[in-house]
Amino acid sequence: MTLALTHSDILSVLDRQEVRKAVEQAHAGLAMGECANPAPSAIALPESGIALPMATGGRGMVAVKLLCDVPANRDRGLPTQRSTIMVSSAITGEALAILDGRAITAIRTAAASAVATDHLARRSPSMLGMIGAGNLAVEHAFAIAAVRDITRIVVWSRSTETIGSFRAATATLGISVESAESPEDVLAVSDIVCTLTPSRRPIVRGVSFRPGQHVNAVGAPPRADHREIDGIGMQRAKVVVDSFPTAMAKSGGVLLAISEGFITEDDARTELGDVIVGKAAGRMSDTDITLYESVGIGLQDLATAELVIERATAQGIGTSINLSG
């Protein structure tokens, strides 16, 4: 039997702290060769869209995620990215579950940024900066606050209404939220910065980076011509990626900085898992600028999906389907 889980089913069983721990373990497993995450391939869709099937390996399960990135959906009032995850047994090949990818993608993305922050940011109490204030920013506020003592949050968005929604959604954190006039103003006061915009051109200039800052570059879609951070920013920072093969296939931030001569491939080889297990250095001093380039990998989805399937099965949530019938 195959378990089908909707967006609301998944939200009812997801535990953010458990997801963060699972994502950290998954990256460590990737570094140690216990998990596999091939570079994604892309399929062209009409209206300049792309679909990314990402196959991964985990503990007894494998997953394929179909992520459809469709920019034309903005004009339809629909999400630009939609995804579906299928999990199968690595032993028998049986389809174990089909899951809507929206909540899993958002929460595991924020969890990965929190893991990167925990291993790369300074330990002192911090001011958190958000460039972008949508739902992913909300998830990042909760995730980062779980690994660092956040004293204030400063947010920039093109929409004051979005900042108001962000403030309301994060009220339970008990952390004051201030608005900024520009991305530069966020960088000027923040110790940890999360960039969360679907930008094609750089929205963050590396000349504004300050010594000791940690940056999570998250928002740009997995396209070689999209980036939030300019080449100078990539050059000034110690860059850590989720997966080197994935970054070399889909990270505009990395690929464009290489093509412009600001960094080389070797500058982008450090993976988050290698830092976690001690195979590579992350932050070396309090004055280092560290940058986590988040493209997103299927292994993060699988680690989260395994938790969801386990909890949903235990609680009798979801719909079982006999695909072989």
Side-chain angles (χ1 to χ4, degrees), residues 67-154:
L67 167 65
C68 295
D69 181 50
V70 187
N73 270 359
R74 288 192 187 93
D75 298 330
R76 303 183 178 106
L78 298 172
T80 58
Q81 290 189 352
R82 288 179 157 179
S83 58
T84 306
I85 300 166
M86 185 177 77
V87 179
S88 299
S89 166
I91 308 302
T92 68
E94 175 190 5
L96 300 175
I98 299 172
L99 307 90
D100 180 79
R102 183 171 26 151
I104 288 176
T105 300
I107 292 173
R108 64 80 161 156
T109 299
S113 293
V115 172
T117 299
D118 199 25
H119 287 274
L120 296 171
R122 293 179 296 180
R123 291 282 166 189
S124 54
S126 305
M127 186 159 177
L128 174 61
M130 297 289 190
I131 297 174
N135 292 333
L136 193 53
V138 172
E139 289 294 340
H140 272 73
F142 280 95
I144 303 299
V147 298
R148 284 296 182 276
D149 178 12
I150 302 300
T151 57
R152 289 187 295 162
I153 302 175
V154 59

Side-chain angles (χ1 to χ4, degrees), residues 288-300:
D288 284 351
I289 299 167
T290 52
L291 187 150
Y292 170 55
E293 176 69 7
S294 170
V295 181
I297 58 175
L299 185 59
Q300 297 164 351

